[in-house]
Amino acid sequence: MTSLPLGADVRSGVPLSGYTTLRLGGPAARFVTAASAAEVVDAVKAVDRSGEPLLVLGGGSNLVIGDLGFDGTVVLVANHGSKIDCVQPGRVQLTVEAGEDWDTVVAGTVEAGLGGLECLSGIPGLVGATPVQNVGAYGVEVSQVLVSVDLLDRATGDVRTLRTDELGLDYRTSILKGTDRAVVLRARFELSDDGLSAPIRYTELARALGVRQDDRVPVADARAAVLDLRRGKGMVLDAADHDTWSAGSFFTNPIVALPAVDDVLARIVAVVGADTTVPRYPAGPGAAKLSAAWLIERAGFGKGFTRGNAGLSTKHTLALTNRGSATTADLLGLAQQVRDGVHSAFGVLLHPEPILINCALA
């Protein structure tokens, strides 16, 4: 039995479905709430010394947990606090503890007239997960504003500071994603203090705001427009709306090497016809990015498609949802059907974006 820090809030048999936005997942053998960065460090170190399985849990918005739960210790990151420091005229540094709710932090920056995070409004989860995932939406990624993170290096037991360029941030990933090497304790972001947004680069958002791409707008206007767009896609949490019982976008947009793009496009044309425009975006040297949502729908999986008690959102084909009484097995069965259907139709293999715990896609 792991010897946890004196005074730690420890419970057993806690259903993890109450801690994920999918509302799925079996019980944890032990569940520890860590209310400060020091408690996070102490709890994680104690579990690591014991050799017992460990799951560090944040907002549960990018997590799929198996129906059998987790046979080990879950440490819930619940440290709170933030501060703002002036770094140079027109720029400030925001330091935020990992356990803070992300959208609450974004709302606070907008209220304070700070620009840089407003296009990331409405994204569920905690601050500590944003650099791990390199969270992005509507033309902005965390990597564009992140300065550094403090983290616990589980291999050495040391608390270290890593700069943005040391995190290997790329499209929806970092060197921390998919590993258990470190636990983020806090993050720092550099923001503008002129009350204006980051340049509006996403076409849909620019259209909603009635501006040209690369224009800047008041941060409150940008946040309001982003929230409206996300609500229309079922991407703002609402307990009464099963379309939001999801992990957000379940599949990442596929990156296809340029030598294979022509073959993929030919297969798409054979299915949808030559007069259909295929969404395609640059993805760095030698690659193109396709729209996972577009491919899913053209492969025959429209909005609202269901398999048992799991289904695609009625608002957005990229969100796989719990329709109220689903199991994790139901959700993964749907994910496999969609993934295999897209691959069969177009030769493109979709990869899941959420982290899968004690479960897998066959």
Side-chain angles (χ1 to χ4, degrees), residues 151-209:
L151 52 76
L152 169 65
D153 185 327
R154 291 178 62 189
T156 66
D158 296 330
V159 173
R160 303 168 52 201
T161 299
L162 266 62
R163 302 184 312 272
T164 303
D165 60 3
E166 298 176 289
L167 290 169
L169 297 168
D170 205 341
Y171 174 64
R172 302 299 178 270
T173 193
S174 71
I175 61 171
L176 303 178
K177 185 177 179 181
T179 77
D180 57 5
R181 61 194 294 178
V183 180
V184 175
L185 303 174
R186 65 185 59 84
R188 299 176 188 85
F189 307 93
E190 186 172 316
L191 309 174
S192 65
D193 67 358
D194 59 4
L196 295 178
S197 69
I200 302 298
R201 297 203 167 98
Y202 200 80
T203 303
E204 183 183 23
L205 180 57
R207 187 182 304 119
L209 287 163

Side-chain angles (χ1 to χ4, degrees), residues 15-40:
L16 295 175
S17 57
Y19 293 87
T20 70
T21 53
L22 273 163
R23 292 168 169 78
L24 297 176
R30 288 203 301 166
F31 189 96
V32 183
T33 300
S36 69
E39 288 185 13
V40 174

